[in-house]
Amino acid sequence: MKRALLLAVILFGACSTFAPGSANKPSAINRDAAKLDGQIVTITGWLVLENEELAIWDQQKDRDANKHPDRCVSVLVPKSLEASLRTFNMKYVKLPGLFHRDVASMKPTMFFGLCNTTAIEVLPGRMPEIVSP
């Protein structure tokens, strides 16, 4: 009985925090940036892949207001995937990738068009999925 109770407590604790592979809004990912750094995550939000903006936002209205960088995660797109990802521009998606807490630490690379210092790196073979808002 004690084992069952202990197991239930452990499972409840594991369920109370989101798993790195589960879908979350950018604001939730940003709150746990230190814990998620270097992990594969899936972020759900409004994807923007424009020439001067590569980002995923909690909602379209957050992007339009452009006042809440805490509701945004920058998107790092490899050149080889740019064309195929453009079809997901300005859509709500689930975006899997490798999370980086601070792109400034990724030297000597220089990035443009980022909305935040946190970023998700799109990985080959892990394409977004369109979802309802």
Side-chain angles (χ1 to χ4, degrees), residues 83-108:
S84 58
L85 282 176
R86 294 279 179 204
T87 60
F88 298 96
N89 187 32
M90 301 294 189
K91 294 184 172 50
Y92 282 97
V93 300
K94 280 186 184 178
L95 178 65
L98 180 63
F99 181 73
H100 299 281
R101 175 179 148 187
D102 183 10
V103 292
S105 66
M106 299 174 67
K107 294 179 181 172

Side-chain angles (χ1 to χ4, degrees), residues 46-65:
W46 179 253
L47 185 62
V48 179
L49 299 172
E50 298 288 324
N51 290 334
E52 296 186 13
E53 182 181 1
L54 301 169
I56 186 164
W57 294 82
D58 277 8
Q59 298 177 33
Q60 181 181 359
K61 69 179 183 178
D62 296 323
R63 188 270 179 158
D64 294 344

Side-chain angles (χ1 to χ4, degrees), residues 2-76:
K2 287 183 181 180
R3 281 188 186 174
L5 181 58
L6 179 60
L7 183 59
V9 169
I10 290 171
L11 288 175
F12 177 75
C15 293
S16 65
T17 60
F18 56 84
S22 65
N24 293 281
K25 291 185 179 273
S27 56
I29 298 291
N30 284 331
R31 279 192 298 275
D32 286 325
K35 181 170 65 172
L36 296 172
D37 189 33
Q39 305 231 6
I40 300 294
V41 299
T42 300
I43 302 176
T44 301
W46 179 253
L47 185 62
V48 179
L49 299 172
E50 298 288 324
N51 290 334
E52 296 186 13
E53 182 181 1
L54 301 169
I56 186 164
W57 294 82
D58 277 8
Q59 298 177 33
Q60 181 181 359
K61 69 179 183 178
D62 296 323
R63 188 270 179 158
D64 294 344
N66 200 19
K67 293 181 182 176
H68 303 284
D70 59 312
R71 296 180 189 167
C72 177
V73 171
S74 298
V75 178
L76 307 178

